[in-house]
Structure formats: structure tokens, C-alpha cells
Amino acid sequence: MATDFRRKEQLPDLTDRLVETYQDLPTIHHLGHCPLPSVEAVIEIVDDLKELVFPGYRRRQNLHMGNVVYHVGDLVDGLHDKLTEQIGRALRHRYQLQNGIHCVDESKQDFEKLGQEKAIDFLESLPEIRRLLATDVQAAYDGDPAAKSLDEIIFCYPGIEAITVHRLAHRLYQMDVPLIPRILGEYSHARTGIDIHPGANVGPSFFIDHGTGVVIGETCDIEEGVKIYQGVTLGALSFPRDDEGNLVRDEKRHPTIEAGVVIYANATILGGTTVVGRNSIIGASVSLKKSVEPNTVVTIENPTLRFREAS
Amino acid sequence: MATDFRRKEQLPDLTDRLVETYQDLPTIHHLGHCPLPSVEAVIEIVDDLKELVFPGYRRRQNLHMGNVVYHVGDLVDGLHDKLTEQIGRALRHRYQLQNGIHCVDESKQDFEKLGQEKAIDFLESLPEIRRLLATDVQAAYDGDPAAKSLDEIIFCYPGIEAITVHRLAHRLYQMDVPLIPRILGEYSHARTGIDIHPGANVGPSFFIDHGTGVVIGETCDIEEGVKIYQGVTLGALSFPRDDEGNLVRDEKRHPTIEAGVVIYANATILGGTTVVGRNSIIGASVSLKKSVEPNTVVTIENPTLRFREAS
Amino acid sequence: MATDFRRKEQLPDLTDRLVETYQDLPTIHHLGHCPLPSVEAVIEIVDDLKELVFPGYRRRQNLHMGNVVYHVGDLVDGLHDKLTEQIGRALRHRYQLQNGIHCVDESKQDFEKLGQEKAIDFLESLPEIRRLLATDVQAAYDGDPAAKSLDEIIFCYPGIEAITVHRLAHRLYQMDVPLIPRILGEYSHARTGIDIHPGANVGPSFFIDHGTGVVIGETCDIEEGVKIYQGVTLGALSFPRDDEGNLVRDEKRHPTIEAGVVIYANATILGGTTVVGRNSIIGASVSLKKSVEPNTVVTIENPTLRFREAS
């Protein structure tokens, strides 16, 4: 039993051939650039933010009104620094892309200063985000007979994980922070199976039950008190292209869901002009491409079932 | 390139405004309470339990009948202590919720002692759980032509991961342990995309293939030798409410699947009185809301397909 | 508040009863065998490989053409050793299974040497795999109006994560390496919700959007420029059995998708003889069990929708 060390002599040559492909294929390496945001650092940030919006559930126990201010102050101070650095990197990265340059002379553009401004604006929005999340947690309890307590929901429900990360990512998206909102969204998608683009507008008291397979597109508008089940897609009908045949990357492509609507499992609602009127109910597996009046129940004519005895 | 330190002076004020929301929104913080179960500790527990039920596959290699008893004895001793603490916390948490109090004087109620009793009862059930899991692994091998060996199934199959964690979580659920079974279930849901509520009764030789998007509700009864594919929902038809309009949180809401039934991808079976008779086959995408006789094959009348040439 | 230590005295007895089940149920333990591949080590390997195919995005920043060769050379050298050990273990494991023995006298069969040969052949294929991945990243950008840059796609898109791991796993599968390709595939499935069997043949410029719930079977053939949405299944129609009623584990069971085909969300295409002709478009939720001519658009006759006012 032995490794043949002579065979290892071909590894340097193999290394050279691999590095050559970095020259041939510049689109999929990131060499000779200023550093990108760090995915690991962004995930650390979102974990700190969860600790701020739902204090006492995870990392730190035995917090009370007397000592929580120190815990929160410490987290806020650290988040200021982490967000400043990562947002600064993201802004610089976009600047480089837009100007087709590799690395920016910081003296010209102070991206860290811009990052700090956005970082502080973002932290200022946390009280408002907490108010929204409190409505989401209550909506989950009111909407699920299996829920035993609010604590269980905050602890366990993937729908709460997804909307928590989304509300944070959406705020960064609104502040025109590049890249980081999408990293947050896909981090949550990987953990919950719920794919909400950071651009989607979601009103208060939003509840996704079970959630696996849900897809909510970038230009969706979802009003207050909407409830969605697993496998629901709120998607685009088709992609308009400009005269050069390039995809048009702005404009509303995804539906509007008005207040109080319930959408059952695996329903699909497509198109930027499609509006589901308030308090309507969309049945399981319904596929909608046009608007629906308020207070409408939409179900599919059950496809005829065939019953025969097993051979 | 510089952070503006004067701007950081507003952080303490921001911290105070955030902490104020903890007073305004008491439903979504956990301050001034005895400690909750720790999600991290519960995940450690499930990893130890996997090592006990499938020894030699993961953490420890080179185990044999001669030395495995020490490895197992050590794990069992540690699990006793971890389970005692976490179950004790969960019982105390429920007691507080039910009595609307924040922290319990332990001298009145010895939750750790109660936790220990349940911890030991749970550990006593591991041999039986292993017997069930052996039937599940065999069912996976018999049911999947892509399976190359039993070891591959234990190593890789998300369906085995899901049923393993479910059988552990369901035992704790039967023992009336709060919170922890649901934490286990959602841990497995996040890793496999398979959402089995800990309350579901699942017989031996159960196999879920692929699994992403499967949802199995709290009051399902699944008999021996049932096989389920990705995207299948065994769900509730509607939620009964009491006279005050509150959700009724007990009573059977989910279907019964008798022995030997096969349910193909994306089928949906709803309702607490719905029974799928033994050895029946439910076709892909079938939606069922009423009972089916034994030995029945149910398929959908294929929706007419439109074929036209691409423009 | 106290643990009752006398109760712990029953733990050794409990341990014995648990260990007894290892004798009774030999199918689900791995005792007295040579070590299996380590899942943790295999995951480390795939992370190193991602760093090689997409340099500069994750672990190491500030790389440039001047220093990247050292970084790559170091990774390649370490990967040689890790792959040699893990592939050697996998080959030995299969040998044991096939010969019904527990542990092999290495002097008879040098699995490490075999492992090294395959490890080096695999590393030699990385430049080719990078060329394929460059086409996949471009296809994602061309196919998704929400994509802001190629970097965002490499950073965030689960479809890219899935095809990256698949192209690595498929190469090992082609080299007849057991177990490890499936561990890779399920690792990616757990992170993305996309379940691609390592055996599937996938051509260049492949794009999966959103992806959760996608299932692609072992014997699929997918040609160049195919685009697939969430929830699509490319599966088997039924499992042929031999005269003893055992599953036939080889032969083509899954469809062929020709170049330029687009398959929308939740469509299902089944069967080893089913061929979807080039440039065809398969609509959302279509279920296909027979072949389709090139340039065909297949949609379902929309099931009649029922609209009524909510009571």
C-alpha cells in the first residue's frame, strides 16, 4: 500500500494547465480585483441581526431588560463595522463592473465612507423591521393549528426564517446596496427551500406555511395579511427583450397580490399585470395568468380521476 | 478611505430605540425568562443519536464488536445528561407558558428530575427505533433501482435522514416532550426538504424517494410498507374553528394511508377522514379529498396537451 | 433540582441491549470493516475544488495572476492526497461488498495506488470542467433578467452550485469511482433542493432557475443549451424487474432532452425512450410520457377554472 510519489511530479504541469484556463476564461475567475464581499462575513452579519430582532431565543440566554442593552449595544457596534466593510466592498465591486476597471484607487472614491452611511441607515431601520416581524409571527400562529406557541414559531418555522431574512435583505435592496441582498436571499433559500427575491415588496402579517418550493419574483407586490403554502410560484409570464434581443432587466414582471389573499399549495400566478383582488382564495394547483376580482374563490375543475382495480 | 467615528456616536441612541421595541413588542423577545432549550445542543443530541443507530458510518471508524460497547456507553452517558437538561428546559418553558409566569422557582417543580425520567425512557426506546430503521433502509434498497448498496442508502439518502430524525422526534412527541420534537423536525426539513410533523404516525418499511417538497401533517397515519415520491402532500382539508372562531388545535385533520400504498410525485391527499385503502397506487399529480378502496389505481385523466410548431 | 444518579446505573444495561441490536441487525451497522470514505473529508474536497474552478470568489481574496499559481499548486497537491485516500477507501469498500468480506489484506490489492491513479485522472479533467462551467454561468446570465452580473451568479445561484458539483461528481462516476459521486450529489441536493443523479449526462450551457424540487434521473441525456425551472422531474416511467422480480439496476430509464429545449416549472417528463426534440418548449405542469418532435411547443389545455364569490 503506497502512494507513487513519482506520479506526483506531473502535478505542477497540471497546475499550469489549470491556471492557463484562468487566462482563457476570464468570465469565471475573480483575480486581480479588489476583494468582493465575503459570504462568510455576510452570514455572520445576518446571524447577529437575528439575535437583535429576536433577542433571547438563540445565542444568549438569561437576558433581561436590565442587561440586554449591553448585549444589544455590543452587537450594534460590531454590526456597524462589519456592514461598513462589506457594503463598501459591494459598492466598489459595482463601480468596477460599471466602469470596466479592475481595482479602484480609493483616494478617488471613498467606498468605505459610503458603506458606513448605508450601514447606519440600515441599522436605523431595525425597529421598524421588528414591528413588521411581530405581525408575521402572529399571522403564523393564527394561521396554523399545529402551532403550539409563538416561541415555537420563532424557534422552528422556516416561513419565519425566510421572511426575517427577506425583510432585512429587502431593506438593503431598497437602499441600492448591490450583491449582499441576493447573498442573503440565497442563504435563506438554501436553508428553507423558500426563494424570495430581495426586490419583492411584502406587506405585514405575511405567512408562508411549510414553504418548500415557494418562488416569489423580484417585482412582486404582496399586500397585508397574505398567506401562502408550499410550492406556490409568483413568477414572470415571459421575458421582454429589447431591439438587440437582450433581456429587459427592469419593469414589473411579477404579479400583485392584494390584502387578505390565501394561495394554496402549488398554485402558480404569473405576469406583471396580473392582480389577485383582496380577500380572494386561490385553490391548490390553480394556474393563473390574468387578474381576479376581489373576494373571488378560484379552484380548478378537478381533472377527472380514473379508478381501476390493481392487477 | 476612512470610517467617520463621529457618526458612530449615534449608535447608543439607536441601541436605546431598538431596546424600546422590546418593551413595545413583548411577543417576539424572550427576555427575563429561564433559558429555553438550545437549538445547538438539540442538534448535537441528534448527531449523537445517529451515531448510535447507524454505528461506524460517520464519526468513528474502525469500530468492531470488541470496542463498540465503550463508544456506545460513552455516547449514552453523555446523551443522558444532555437530554435531561434540554428536556427539563422544554418542560419548564411549557409550564411557564401555561401558567403565564416568567421564571419558575425550581424548588416547587423539579423539571430536571422530570427531564431525566423522560431522557431515560427515550434512550430505552432506541433498540426498537433501530429495528424500525432497518426496515426503512431495506425498503429504500428494494424500491430504488439507482441504489447500489445499503451503505450508500444510509450514507446519502435524504429519505433515510428524514425518517431517522422523524422516528426519534416522534418518540419524544409521544412522550409529551414539548418544543424539542419540532426543533428536530425542522432541522431535518432544512436538510432534506422533507417536512414531516413529529406527530405523524409512520409504520415500518417507509420509503421517501428524492423527497424535496414532501409535506406530512401532524395527524397522518401511515401503515407498513408505504412508498412516497417528491412533492407529495398529506395535508389538511380545512381548519375547523370553535365558537370564538379560534382554530381547533386537536383532532385528526390529515389522511390515513394503509399498508403497501404507493404515492407518486406531487400527488396531494387531503382531509382527516380520507383513507387510502391498502395496496392502492395514487398516480403523479392526483388530488384526492375522499377515501379510496383497497387495491385501487388512481390516475388523472391526462389533461389534453396542445402541440404546435414553435414560431 | 437534581439528577438522580442511581437512575444512571441502568445505563450500562441499556447500552448492552443497544449493542445487542448491532448483532441482530447487521444490515445497518458498519462494524469490523475497513474505514469507509469520510463524508466530512469529501465535503472538504468539493470546497477545495470550487476554489479551483472559481478562484477569487470565496476563501482567498487578493489573488492575481502573479500569485494564483502558488495557491492553485498548493490546493492541487492537497487534493491529490485527499482524493487518493478517499477514492482508495471507496474502491476497497466496493471490493469488500462484491466479495462478501469485511476487511481486505492490502498486500493483495493496493487500493491506494488505484485511488491515486483515479485521483490524478480526475484532477487532469478540471480544465475541461472549467470550460463547461463557463458556458453554464453565461447561460444563467442570458436566461435570467434578475441577474445583475456574472459574479452575482457565481456567488449566489443555486443552479450554478448544483451544476458545478454535478460536473465534478459525474466525472468521478464516469471513472467508475463508487459511493463518492453520490455523496457529492446529495450534498448539493441538501444545499440547493436540486437532485441530479451523478450518472446524468448534461451538455454545456445548462441552466436551472430557482431549482427547488428539480429531480434529474441517473440515465438522463441532456444536450447543449437546455433550460429548466423549479419542480421539473426527468424521471423513470416504471421499474423493469428480472425473472426473480428483482429490480433491473442498469439500462436507460430516464428521458433524452435535445439541444435548446426549455422546460417550465413543475413539468414532468418520464421514460427511457422519451425524447424531447431540439428547441422544443415544454409548458409548466405538462406531464409527458412520449416523445415530442423538434421545435414543438407543448402546453396543457388549461383545466377549467371555477370562479365564485367568497361567502
Side-chain angles (χ1 to χ4, degrees), chain A residues 31-47:
Chain A
L31 305 175
H33 294 61
C34 305
L36 284 161
S38 153
V39 171
E40 290 61 35
V42 170
I43 290 170
E44 221 180 85
I45 285 168
V46 74
D47 287 339

Side-chain angles (χ1 to χ4, degrees), chain A residues 33-68:
Chain A
H33 294 61
C34 305
L36 284 161
S38 153
V39 171
E40 290 61 35
V42 170
I43 290 170
E44 221 180 85
I45 285 168
V46 74
D47 287 339
D48 290 347
L49 288 167
K50 283 186 200 163
E51 186 75 5
L52 285 183
V53 292
F54 297 123
Y57 286 97
R58 288 303 198 89
R59 241 186 275 160
R60 268 289 294 278
Q61 297 282 352
N62 297 317
L63 289 169
H64 51 75
M65 282 301 170
N67 63 7
V68 73

Side-chain angles (χ1 to χ4, degrees), chain A residues 111-170:
Chain A
F111 293 101
E112 183 155 340
K113 192 160 181 308
L114 291 172
Q116 180 184 27
E117 279 161 26
K118 288 185 187 289
I120 289 175
D121 290 352
F122 174 74
L123 291 169
E124 290 284 358
S125 70
L126 289 179
E128 175 53 24
I129 288 174
R130 274 198 92 241
R131 285 189 192 88
L132 285 168
L133 290 172
T135 68
D136 299 323
V137 171
Q138 189 61 49
Y141 185 75
D142 297 340
D144 180 10
K148 304 285 186 284
S149 71
L150 294 175
D151 292 333
E152 182 189 19
I153 287 163
I154 294 167
F155 241 142
C156 312
Y157 275 40
I160 291 300
E161 159 97 23
I163 190 62
T164 300
V165 175
H166 174 70
R167 294 200 185 280
L168 297 165
H170 182 61

Side-chain angles (χ1 to χ4, degrees), chain A residues 256-304:
Chain A
T256 296
I257 312 298
E258 291 185 352
V261 168
V262 179
I263 308 175
Y264 284 100
N266 305 316
T268 303
I269 303 176
L270 305 178
T273 62
T274 303
V275 179
V276 178
R278 52 190 300 118
N279 300 321
S280 289
I281 297 170
I282 309 302
S285 303
V286 164
S287 173
L288 262 189
K289 298 172 182 179
K290 58 188 181 60
S291 296
V292 168
E293 290 299 304
N295 305 300
T296 310
V297 178
V298 185
T299 54
I300 46 174
E301 191 80 49
N302 286 334
T304 327

Side-chain angles (χ1 to χ4, degrees), chain A residues 16 18 28-29 37 39 43 50 64 91 100 108 111 118 123 155 162 215 220 224 249-250 269 290:
Chain A
D16 293 340
L18 187 54
I28 61 168
H29 70 64
V39 171
I43 290 170
K50 283 186 200 163
H64 51 75
L91 292 168
K108 291 216 201 69
F111 293 101
K118 288 185 187 289
L123 291 169
F155 241 142
V215 174
C220 279
E224 174 163 10
R249 289 182 189 275
D250 303 314
I269 303 176
K290 58 188 181 60

Side-chain angles (χ1 to χ4, degrees), chain B:
Chain B
M1 140 137 165
T3 315
D4 178 347
F5 286 99
R6 281 153 317 163
R7 292 225 48 193
K8 288 192 76 168
E9 287 166 10
Q10 76 188 79
L11 295 181
D13 176 53
L14 189 162
T15 298
D16 293 340
R17 266 176 286 115
L18 187 55
V19 170
E20 275 164 28
T21 69
Y22 298 163
Q23 262 128 352
D24 309 345
L25 302 166
T27 56
I28 61 168
H29 70 66
H30 192 73
L31 305 175
H33 294 60
C34 304
L36 285 160
S38 152
V39 170
E40 289 62 34
V42 169
I43 290 171
E44 220 180 86
I45 286 168
V46 74
D47 287 339
D48 290 348
L49 289 166
K50 283 187 201 163
E51 187 75 6
L52 284 183
V53 293
F54 297 123
Y57 286 97
R58 287 302 197 92
R59 237 184 280 161
R60 270 290 295 278
Q61 297 282 354
N62 296 318
L63 289 169
H64 50 76
M65 281 301 171
N67 64 7
V68 72
V69 64
Y70 307 115
H71 182 55
V72 171
D74 189 43
L75 282 168
V76 166
D77 189 81
L79 277 164
H80 167 279
D81 299 349
K82 295 175 188 173
L83 284 162
T84 296
E85 179 181 9
Q86 299 301 321
I87 295 174
R89 288 181 175 197
L91 293 168
R92 187 177 53 198
H93 175 252
R94 179 171 60 191
Y95 181 91
Q96 293 163 213
L97 280 176
Q98 287 170 346
N99 297 274
I101 52 182
H102 271 192
C103 210
V104 185
D105 173 1
E106 286 288 353
S107 65
K108 293 216 200 70
Q109 282 262 9
D110 189 341
F111 293 102
E112 182 155 342
K113 193 161 179 310
L114 292 171
Q116 180 184 26
E117 280 160 27
K118 289 185 186 288
I120 290 174
D121 289 352
F122 173 74
L123 291 169
E124 289 285 356
S125 69
L126 289 178
E128 175 53 24
I129 288 174
R130 275 198 92 241
R131 283 187 193 88
L132 285 168
L133 290 173
T135 68
D136 299 323
V137 171
Q138 189 61 49
Y141 186 75
D142 297 339
D144 179 12
K148 304 285 186 284
S149 72
L150 293 174
D151 293 333
E152 181 189 19
I153 287 162
I154 293 168
F155 241 143
C156 311
Y157 275 40
I160 291 301
E161 159 97 23
I163 190 61
T164 299
V165 174
H166 174 70
R167 295 201 184 281
L168 297 165
H170 182 60
R171 179 73 186 122
L172 291 167
Y173 179 97
Q174 288 176 310
M175 292 166 55
D176 194 31
V177 173
L179 210 49
I180 294 172
R182 191 66 192 263
I183 294 172
L184 289 181
E186 288 301 338
Y187 166 74
S188 162
H189 181 194
R191 289 161 54 93
T192 64
I194 298 168
D195 181 355
I196 311 178
H197 192 287
N201 284 309
V202 181
S205 302
F206 182 61
F207 176 41
I208 299 175
D209 201 359
H210 307 299
T212 306
V214 165
V215 175
I216 298 177
E218 180 173 20
T219 62
C220 280
D221 291 292
I222 298 175
E223 295 182 358
E224 175 163 9
V226 169
K227 181 176 177 180
I228 285 180
Y229 285 85
Q230 68 272 18
V232 166
T233 294
L234 306 179
L237 197 46
S238 70
F239 302 150
R241 295 175 182 275
D242 64 21
D243 305 350
E244 284 78 49
N246 300 319
L247 288 169
V248 179
R249 289 183 188 275
D250 303 314
E251 97 168 18
K252 184 160 166 63
R253 306 183 305 277
H254 305 96
T256 296
I257 312 298
E258 290 186 352
V261 168
V262 179
I263 308 174
Y264 284 101
N266 305 315
T268 303
I269 302 175
L270 305 177
T273 62
T274 303
V275 178
V276 178
R278 53 189 301 120
N279 300 321
S280 290
I281 297 170
I282 309 302
S285 304
V286 164
S287 172
L288 262 188
K289 298 172 182 179
K290 58 186 182 57
S291 296
V292 167
E293 290 298 304
N295 305 300
T296 311
V297 178
V298 185
T299 53
I300 46 175
E301 191 80 49
N302 287 334
T304 330
L305 296 179
R306 284 215 207 87
F307 300 82
R308 58 180 171 81
E309 203 164 323
S311 45

